[in-house]
Amino acid sequence: MRRKHALRRPKDGTDPDDHSLASACRYEAFGRVMAALATKAEFIESCRDLTWWPGPDESWHIEWRDGPFASEVAALLARHPHATGRVVTADDVSAVLEVRGVRFELRAVDPMGRTEVRSRPHFWRLAEALDTTRRTTARHPWEELLGG
């Protein structure tokens, strides 16, 4: 007769199949933060290499290149209705935000700030491209993209 052995847990104490309430809250907070960021097209469009990963201590790490300062993103998230949170620390390169009891570590690599992003002449915004009410003598962005 053979014995059945239970699967061993990883040595770091985390369980990849953890469906506890704490794990659910962690993912809910992450969803709220990402939904809040998705409503800010200017942020998403100005960033390169937007990445995120779960931290070992029930936290989330979000990192991007270019785009706004980490303090600007933390302030934006702290007052957004979906992801209302509390800014713990913030500077231009990194910020720590707490949303629904979950810690978010934000990191901006080579940030430019929102004012610099808006003033860049070669920055193409989706909102401007889709604005058909704006009449100018210059070609619209979609005309340049489509060659019209």
Side-chain angles (χ1 to χ4, degrees), residues 68-109:
F69 295 123
S71 58
E72 293 171 334
V73 175
L76 176 126
L77 290 172
R79 65 179 181 266
H80 195 279
H82 291 4
T84 305
R86 178 178 67 90
V87 178
V88 179
T89 62
D91 60 24
D92 290 350
V93 177
S94 65
V96 175
L97 177 75
E98 194 172 285
V99 176
R100 300 186 57 83
V102 178
R103 181 182 174 100
F104 285 84
E105 295 187 20
L106 310 174
R107 183 165 180 256
V109 179

Side-chain angles (χ1 to χ4, degrees), residues 16-99:
D17 297 324
D18 182 19
H19 300 294
S20 67
L21 184 59
S23 180
C25 288
R26 178 183 185 196
Y27 280 95
E28 180 189 354
F30 177 70
R32 287 174 177 267
V33 166
M34 295 309 283
L37 290 178
T39 63
K40 302 299 181 185
E42 182 179 298
F43 169 75
I44 297 294
E45 292 174 4
S46 66
C47 296
R48 290 187 307 128
D49 304 328
L50 178 65
T51 58
W52 57 86
W53 63 94
D57 56 348
E58 299 296 320
S59 66
W60 286 98
H61 298 261
I62 301 175
E63 183 177 279
W64 64 92
R65 290 190 176 283
D66 298 339
F69 295 123
S71 58
E72 293 171 334
V73 175
L76 176 126
L77 290 172
R79 65 179 181 266
H80 195 279
H82 291 4
T84 305
R86 178 178 67 90
V87 178
V88 179
T89 62
D91 60 24
D92 290 350
V93 177
S94 65
V96 175
L97 177 75
E98 194 172 285
V99 176

Side-chain angles (χ1 to χ4, degrees), residues 121-125 128-129 134 136-148:
H122 62 281
F123 179 65
W124 179 77
R125 289 193 186 93
E128 288 178 2
R134 184 176 47 118
T136 62
T137 56
R139 292 172 45 158
H140 290 283
W142 69 83
E143 292 172 330
E144 291 181 21
L145 280 174
L146 299 176

